[in-house]
Amino acid sequence: MMASDGMLSLSWNNHKATFCHILSTLREKERYTDVTLACEGKFYPVHKLVLSTCSEYFEKMFEHTPCKHPVVVLKDIKCADMEALLSYMYDGVVSVLQQDLARLIKAAELLQIKGLAVPDEPPLKELSKKNAYPWSSRDDRSSPHPKRRRREDMMTSTSQGSSLPPPESPPSSPQHHQESNQSWDHSKSHSQDQREDGVDQRVGDPVEPAVEFSSPKQEASHNQEPVDESLVKEEVIEGSEDNQGEGMDSRIEYGGMGGGDSNTGGEEQGSKFPHQLDTKHPQPLHEAVVEALAGPSGMQGWLGTGELGGGFSMLEGYSEDGNQEVHPASTGPHGTQQSHQMVALNKDGTRIRGREAVVTIHQCPFCSYSTVRKHGLTKHIRRHTGEKPFTCPHCPYRSSTKYAMSNHVRIHTGEKPYSCTLCPYRGAQRAALINHLLTHKS
DNA sequence: CAGCAGGGGGCGA
DNA sequence: CGCCCCCTGCTGG
């Protein structure tokens, strides 16, 4: 916080993460939901606000829908995809099997989900590296990377008669996109056309015929008006801006799900996939999120680094003792899983890396502290609880650790085990001696 | 600068 | 889980 002229600026450190958490919780409890999405016989009560925020498509739809609680039927979207997209919109992350990626992206494009409706090739990369954590690096109010023109293209593409994608990539694998990425990133304005064509296909085709695209629209039109294509345009800007945030991006090595074969990705990628499996389990995704969020002290523990600005950092599996444990290899939601991974990397860097490794991260329910050592957390929690099990036999002093007490007791005993080799100085603590030695150097 | 308290990690049992 | 150590921050002279 900063102060100026006597004014204090109070900042809510984990505001974003908290906010997102709350939204997820509300969704879980179906509280304040004001729109129901229906697909494949399943119903998903959600919030217009969230949908509108994440999708212009919905935004438009609601804008023209007087109905208080409309039910939007999504014909061409699979419920699994819908759930994944909802997870993405509410939690900012979603894990998807490589094989399902194309379909998911397509669904995202149809619904114009910001950040997922990637224009061209990069879907993979984008998805995994940037969009996966839209809010992690900056404010996401502005959509992550709205790249929806794609959709337009698609529609228009026919007219263009575009040639379509290079033979190289069979529809099914979204992966080949690396190369185009770069070009795409920077130029997103005009030149894209040609390229996009190619892209379109890749993205769209894999799973289904282009025809389908219309459907969502139709849907829209049914409900009200067709989405204005022009809106879809938006140029975007994504570029590289992102990282201003806390620089998290840089640290996050995200192997990306999509990256798949791309060589660019890190070594991690390979290992990563194995864990992203259950994308499909319907429930898990949702439940897990909630579960992850539940915490003794509210969301605090759930939040990330606690740094300003927020980088969110983690969702943990929550365990009864108040600690949140993460088991990357086995825990539910992919999304969270990834988060975990991220956390691990951020916090411990070297240590908790491999996806394969089963790492348990113990998250403090009171603050952002997390450690791989349960014992470490136990000690840490004393900070919050104020528990000081160790009492000085000579005075009222109490400490939270035995070692601290032993240091303290030396005050009474006069013991000074750390002696300077250069002078008669003796210190009761090693740190004192080290500090003292500095005086000899200068 | 010295003293002290405390947090968190390393390591072994 | 316990013990120990390293490191850091605060305080007072």
Side-chain angles (χ1 to χ4, degrees):
Chain A
M1 21 185 109
M2 312 171 60
S4 62
D5 301 335
M7 287 294 287
L8 291 177
S9 173
L10 305 179
S11 64
W12 183 350
N13 282 357
N14 294 304
H15 178 271
K16 288 174 193 153
T18 301
F19 213 78
C20 291
H21 159 66
I22 292 173
L23 284 177
S24 286
T25 302
L26 291 178
R27 176 187 161 210
E28 164 66 357
K29 296 180 178 176
E30 297 185 11
R31 193 165 296 171
Y32 306 133
T33 54
D34 49 10
V35 57
T36 297
L37 298 182
C39 73
E40 293 189 328
K42 292 192 177 185
F43 299 91
Y44 303 94
V46 292
H47 306 89
K48 288 179 182 177
L49 174 65
V50 174
L51 296 185
S52 296
T53 299
C54 301
S55 159
E56 285 192 7
Y57 175 77
F58 283 116
E59 186 182 359
K60 284 284 167 191
M61 184 185 293
F62 300 139
E63 194 176 315
H64 299 85
T65 308
C67 182
K68 292 265 180 184
H69 191 129
V71 174
V72 179
V73 180
L74 301 171
K75 292 180 183 174
D76 301 292
I77 304 239
K78 289 182 176 293
C79 63
D81 288 338
M82 193 63 248
E83 288 165 8
L85 290 176
L86 287 174
S87 172
Y88 177 79
M89 290 188 276
Y90 276 84
D91 305 309
V93 294
V94 62
S95 291
V96 58
L97 283 176
Q98 199 170 341
Q99 62 185 60
D100 297 331
L101 180 62
R103 197 186 64 220
L104 180 65
I105 293 294
K106 193 182 130 186
E109 290 185 347
L110 292 176
L111 299 178
Q112 296 175 30
I113 306 300
K114 295 177 182 177
L116 271 186
V118 182
D120 358 353
E121 333 210 18
L124 303 182
K125 282 188 159 186
E126 276 294 316
L127 185 80
S128 60
K129 297 188 176 178
K130 295 182 179 179
N131 300 332
Y133 304 98
W135 54 34
S136 65
S137 53
R138 48 151 164 229
D139 268 16
D140 1 273
R141 316 183 240 40
S142 54
S143 57
H145 304 279
K147 318 195 140 197
R148 335 225 186 73
R149 28 189 176 58
R150 191 130 233 48
R151 185 158 184 276
E152 259 210 348
D153 298 342
M154 305 182 100
M155 323 288 307
T156 57
S157 65
T158 53
S159 60
Q160 294 183 340
S162 43
S163 41
L164 308 184
E168 28 135 32
S169 55
S172 55
S173 62
Q175 333 176 354
H176 34 286
H177 312 314
Q178 319 100 338
E179 343 83 6
S180 51
N181 275 345
Q182 313 117 339
S183 52
W184 163 67
D185 282 341
H186 306 300
S187 60
K188 32 220 83 201
S189 28
H190 325 278
S191 54
Q192 303 184 340
D193 301 354
Q194 324 94 332
R195 171 174 322 126
E196 296 200 337
D197 300 348
V199 177
D200 286 353
Q201 258 221 336
R202 305 167 183 176
V203 175
D205 292 357
V207 183
E208 318 167 2
V211 189
E212 298 193 353
F213 291 94
S214 57
S215 51
K217 266 191 165 187
Q218 296 175 349
E219 193 61 22
S221 57
H222 295 307
N223 293 345
Q224 13 272 329
E225 323 185 345
V227 176
D228 176 9
E229 304 263 322
S230 57
L231 297 179
V232 184
K233 268 184 173 187
E234 215 161 11
E235 35 300 48
V236 186
I237 1 145
E238 58 261 36
S240 32
E241 10 60 313
D242 336 345
N243 329 326
Q244 358 163 324
E246 349 308 340
M248 288 186 68
D249 290 3
S250 56
R251 279 177 288 168
I252 302 172
E253 325 178 359
Y254 218 47
M257 13 184 32
D261 21 344
S262 70
N263 16 10
T264 57
E267 346 74 312
E268 309 232 314
Q269 293 188 351
S271 51
K272 201 167 180 184
F273 286 81
H275 301 288
Q276 331 187 312
L277 308 173
D278 357 359
T279 330
K280 319 214 142 176
H281 309 194
Q283 284 288 4
L285 198 61
H286 189 69
E287 290 181 356
V289 170
V290 175
E291 217 181 284
L293 301 184
S297 56
M299 49 221 89
Q300 290 190 341
W302 168 72
L303 304 180
T305 58
E307 302 188 352
L308 272 190
F312 99 172
S313 38
M314 42 190 113
L315 298 176
E316 266 82 60
Y318 173 65
S319 64
E320 296 199 32
D321 54 343
N323 304 335
Q324 299 177 341
E325 302 185 7
V326 177
H327 301 280
S330 58
T331 352
H334 319 299
T336 56
Q337 223 177 62
Q338 296 185 349
S339 304
H340 298 159
Q341 191 61 25
M342 181 171 89
V343 173
L345 290 173
N346 287 339
K347 287 265 178 190
D348 300 86
T350 57
R351 205 160 311 164
I352 312 175
R353 295 195 121 188
R355 273 221 166 235
E356 310 298 14
V358 176
V359 178
T360 297
I361 297 175
H362 300 276
Q363 171 68 44
C364 173
F366 304 107
C367 73
S368 62
Y369 171 77
S370 64
T371 178
V372 294
R373 306 169 69 227
K374 184 177 180 180
H375 183 46
L377 178 61
T378 300
K379 290 194 295 181
H380 167 84
I381 287 180
R382 287 181 188 150
R383 275 179 64 183
H384 301 293
T385 62
E387 179 188 3
K388 293 185 176 183
F390 305 94
T391 305
C392 175
H394 309 286
C395 74
Y397 171 76
R398 301 176 68 88
S399 81
S400 60
T401 66
K402 187 172 183 178
Y403 190 72
M405 180 56 68
S406 66
N407 278 341
H408 166 82
V409 169
R410 294 191 192 118
I411 297 173
H412 301 292
T413 63
E415 183 187 6
K416 293 186 175 183
Y418 304 96
S419 56
C420 175
T421 57
L422 303 176
C423 75
Y425 170 85
R426 299 178 70 86
Q429 288 188 18
R430 184 173 180 76
L433 174 59
I434 293 174
N435 195 38
H436 164 81
L437 289 174
L438 294 176
T439 65
H440 289 299
K441 289 188 177 181
S442 56

